[in-house]
Amino acid sequence: MTAVDSPEKILFTSTTQAFLQKEAPLSRVRELHAAGMSFDASWWRRAAELGWTSLLVPEDLGGGSVSDSGLADLAMVAEQLGKTVAPGPLYPVSVVLAGLAGCAERHAHAATIDALMSGELVASWAVAEPGRGWAPLDPSVTAAETGSDTGSGYRIDGTKDRVEAGAQSALLLVVARCGEGIRQFLVPTDAPGVRIEPQQSVDLVKQYARVHFDGVLVAEAAAVGAADESTALIGRQSQIAQVLQCAEVVGVLQTVFDFTVQWALDRHTFGRPLASYQALKHKFADMKLWLEACRATTAAAVAAVAARAPTAGLSASIAKSYVGEMAGQIVQACVQMHGGIGVTWEHDLHLYLRRVTLYRAMFGTPEEHNQLVYAWHAEAKTGRAGQ
């Protein structure tokens, strides 16, 4: 999702591509699944050394990017991940880093940021909740202030759901209701009262967990962001998570579309390539149109979120809605183009279909984002009418 228009970007992009082709091919995804693993910790540290984890961190905290937009560079990495449905906690770690580095007291979390950027530490964002739709600003998990002779802090109670890499993380950034407002807290996964329950995932290597908090005590320093900045911070973290997932799906769609076109050119029936039949030509044209629309809406959302535009949330919802809705249709059409082999375990198509199916439901479904877009336009219309 970033233009490759400088030697630095070319080097960063080519290095990322080479690393993923060598270290995270589809065969490796299948190996991890067979071993019951989500990702290899040493692999993730090598990925961090390439700079993936530093792109959303300002230079005064040791981060930096190869262009003037770390988010655009990170979206490029996500798009490359989609080409091999690669493993790894890129999104949970990136979203947590965005929260830590984006708050006013970010220097207080410098040690944690350093550990996350080096890949030595993995953290995840605990925001979704069981039986509830996408409502990051309406958590049922609570954080009550406590006080004692040893100092003040918070007691966290409740349950979070669909926490990516929850079992592999050392820290969780937990969104909780605190009094009349919303706050976020860094909670060690080995703290007393934390219980991690693995959840089944349709994806072969993306693993999730339900995390229970039963009277978990954290120090006052565990709070990330002041009460008056938490809402904006959570909103931006949501936008980053959404556009990164859209960028990865664009990588998935391009890859699946390309090898399906090649399949139709190579496969012959009645002495003609499958791709020569008019009905298939029309279907390929439709899929190409949808693919480019997914790419364009994602690029626009990445640009808006990177620039912190007033319409960034709207752009992210538009992208998440459109990409989430169309990605499944494109990959399913490619499955049908392949005929019987397309529904076999041995063919790689189902690895891509699993990933886009999973992402359709994460950080808001297309239906939920359609409602957010409608609400935004309704509010804008009302605001204009009152002027």
Side-chain angles (χ1 to χ4, degrees), residues 149-168:
D149 295 337
T150 58
S152 59
Y154 300 88
R155 172 189 168 123
I156 300 176
D157 292 276
T159 301
K160 289 295 183 179
D161 204 39
R162 290 155 284 167
V163 180
E164 184 177 348
Q168 294 79 28

Side-chain angles (χ1 to χ4, degrees), residues 70-83:
L71 182 59
D73 296 335
L74 192 56
M76 181 281 296
V77 175
E79 187 175 358
Q80 297 302 319
L81 289 175
K83 295 184 177 181

Side-chain angles (χ1 to χ4, degrees), residues 143-146 152-156 178 183 185 216-221 223:
E145 292 188 52
T146 63
S152 59
Y154 300 88
R155 172 189 168 123
I156 300 176
C178 186
R183 301 290 297 277
F185 302 89
V216 179
L217 299 177
V218 296
E220 188 173 8

Side-chain angles (χ1 to χ4, degrees), residues 182-196:
I182 308 298
R183 301 290 297 277
Q184 295 189 99
F185 302 89
L186 277 175
V187 180
T189 53
D190 60 357
V194 176
R195 180 167 61 89
I196 297 176

Side-chain angles (χ1 to χ4, degrees), residues 78-154:
E79 187 175 358
Q80 297 302 319
L81 289 175
K83 295 184 177 181
T84 60
V85 285
L90 180 70
Y91 307 141
V93 169
S94 296
V95 173
V96 171
L97 279 170
L100 295 176
C103 68
E105 298 296 327
R106 58 181 178 270
H107 288 283
H109 304 289
T112 301
I113 292 172
D114 284 342
L116 289 171
M117 285 198 298
S118 69
E120 295 298 324
L121 193 70
V122 172
S124 189
W125 195 32
V127 59
E129 297 187 352
R132 306 183 69 187
W134 179 241
L137 297 179
D138 185 26
S140 62
V141 169
T142 61
E145 292 188 52
T146 63
S148 66
D149 295 337
T150 58
S152 59
Y154 300 88

